[in-house]
Amino acid sequence: MDIKDIILLLHPAIAVLVVFPMIGIVVHRAWQTRQRRLETAKGGKSKIPPIVGSEHVQIGRWLTGFVVGITLLALAYATFKKILTDGVWTTAPFQVILIVFMYVATIISLVFLYQAREKHWRGIFATLTGMGVVILGFQDGVYRRDNEWFVSHFYYGIVATLLMIFSLAIVQNIYQDRSLRWRNVHIILNCIALLLFIGQGMTGVRDLLEIPLSWQEEYLYKCDYEKKTCANIYPSPSSEIPSVNRDSFLVTSNRH
Ligand code: HEM
Ligand code: HEM
């Protein structure tokens, strides 16, 4: 594998090895937190230890950071790949500087969101982080699958990321609100986030199947992805196989 392919694999590898196990823990602790709250609200005792709530939040805070991180990583890969192939640095260097600045500003906004205590600062930094993610998502080179937005890894991913940023921003509201309004908003939005994460698992592996290794790009990007045919590849890969081996190649490839 070329270095390009290894860098492409960083995003899915971190998602599978770190983010999804973390989602499992966060959701399990969320379930326990809810069970415990409902059991004790009735005046009864719960066997679930009180620590589960703070464990949910602690790991939830890490989850937000990792989800924003892998989203920025995937967007940066796609954007800078395009910048390097099109030589944008020579034609529009200012645009490249602006994009780099946006990545730095988004990361700094997230760091400040982690530190912010007052309501208005949490609102401001959450908005800035979210805006950064959306603006960077709409740069050239990012594959958004606009015509099939309802099964798009990009749109699911951006919405899930925004929901994680929102969860981080409202932690204190959840604790301070005795009417449970913020708590219920959090539960509804994050059940949607959970469905989106499941969608990310499915659309992500589909996208991995569709993206060729860099040495295969030259041929595979000539295929017609709409009509699902590679008949227009010219010269066809099999035409380059010496005629002696050609028949055996065709027989073997027909088996797949
Ligand atoms: C897939 C992700 C998540 C799901 C499904 C989820 C769901 C839940 C549920 C069901 C509860 C219990 C509500 C109740 O008491 O009835 C809860 C509590 C809470 N969640 Fe989440 N959550 C998620 C992620 C996050 C994240 C990322 C954060 C913050 C960064 C967060 C912050 C909180 C807080 C502060 C509470 C209150 C905990 C307590 O009572 O001690 N959650 N969440
Ligand atoms: C928390 C879960 C995940 C989030 C939030 C997420 C988010 C994103 C975003 C925003 C993009 C950029 C848009 C695009 O190029 O399509 C992307 C790209 C991609 N993701 Fe994910 N993703 C997640 C999990 C996964 C998983 C589990 C896999 C595969 C096992 C995966 C594979 C990919 C691939 C192959 C790309 C394309 C890279 C490229 O060509 O630019 N993702 N992801």
Side-chain angles (χ1 to χ4, degrees):
M1 265 196 290
D2 286 354
I3 185 80
K4 253 201 290 189
D5 303 316
I6 294 171
I7 297 174
L8 167 67
L9 287 186
L10 278 180
H11 160 88
I14 299 172
V16 169
L17 292 172
V18 184
V19 177
F20 279 88
M22 226 177 225
I23 292 173
I25 302 172
V26 168
V27 172
H28 182 242
R29 292 292 186 273
W31 182 251
Q32 287 185 308
T33 308
R34 182 166 176 79
Q35 290 302 104
R36 188 187 141 75
R37 189 175 60 76
L38 296 180
E39 282 165 10
T40 50
K42 286 187 221 142
K45 279 205 158 193
S46 174
K47 285 186 184 145
I48 300 168
I51 190 86
V52 289
S54 53
E55 280 181 356
H56 170 74
V57 186
Q58 225 174 22
I59 306 167
R61 282 166 63 88
W62 277 100
L63 179 63
T64 302
F66 269 95
V67 170
V68 176
I70 60 164
T71 293
L72 291 182
L73 181 65
L75 296 176
Y77 173 80
T79 311
F80 287 100
K81 189 176 172 194
K82 176 88 178 157
I83 287 174
L84 292 175
T85 4
D86 291 2
V88 182
W89 177 244
T90 40
T91 52
F94 185 67
Q95 193 185 336
V96 181
I97 293 171
L98 209 65
I99 291 174
V100 173
F101 171 79
M102 277 303 296
Y103 275 98
V104 175
T106 308
I107 293 166
I108 291 178
S109 303
L110 181 67
V111 171
F112 282 153
L113 175 60
Y114 273 103
Q115 316 287 335
R117 288 281 161 265
E118 285 99 18
K119 209 172 172 177
H120 63 277
W121 284 120
R122 282 186 280 128
I124 290 170
F125 290 123
T127 311
L128 288 177
T129 315
M131 271 171 55
V133 169
V134 173
I135 293 171
L136 291 169
F138 282 89
Q139 298 305 313
D140 283 352
V142 178
Y143 180 52
R144 286 184 284 272
R145 205 181 279 270
D146 287 324
N147 55 337
E148 284 181 336
W149 57 267
F150 44 91
V151 283
S152 155
H153 189 71
F154 170 78
Y155 287 107
Y156 286 8
I158 294 292
V159 177
T161 307
L162 294 179
L163 289 175
M164 289 300 105
I165 295 169
F166 185 68
S167 294
L168 181 61
I170 64 163
V171 167
Q172 286 176 29
N173 304 53
I174 297 177
Y175 280 125
Q176 285 161 5
D177 178 18
R178 292 193 170 270
S179 72
L180 303 185
R181 214 185 67 220
W182 282 104
R183 196 174 278 267
N184 290 332
V185 167
H186 173 73
I187 297 172
I188 294 167
L189 289 181
N190 280 10
C191 284
I192 298 172
L194 185 56
L195 292 177
L196 291 170
F197 283 132
I198 294 171
Q200 285 306 84
M202 297 195 303
T203 54
V205 287
R206 175 204 57 194
D207 287 359
L208 258 188
L209 263 182
E210 283 184 359
I211 299 172
L213 289 166
S214 49
W215 61 267
Q216 299 168 343
E217 282 178 0
E218 192 191 340
Y219 278 117
L220 291 182
Y221 283 148
K222 284 180 194 158
C223 292
D224 186 333
Y225 281 73
E226 297 275 309
K227 292 187 188 145
K228 295 185 186 145
T229 168
C230 292
N232 57 350
I233 294 184
Y234 181 80
S236 93
S238 58
S239 71
E240 287 174 7
I241 298 170
S243 55
V244 195
N245 298 339
R246 203 141 155 213
D247 290 341
S248 63
F249 171 83
L250 289 175
V251 170
T252 327
S253 56
N254 277 345
R255 286 205 201 111
H256 295 289

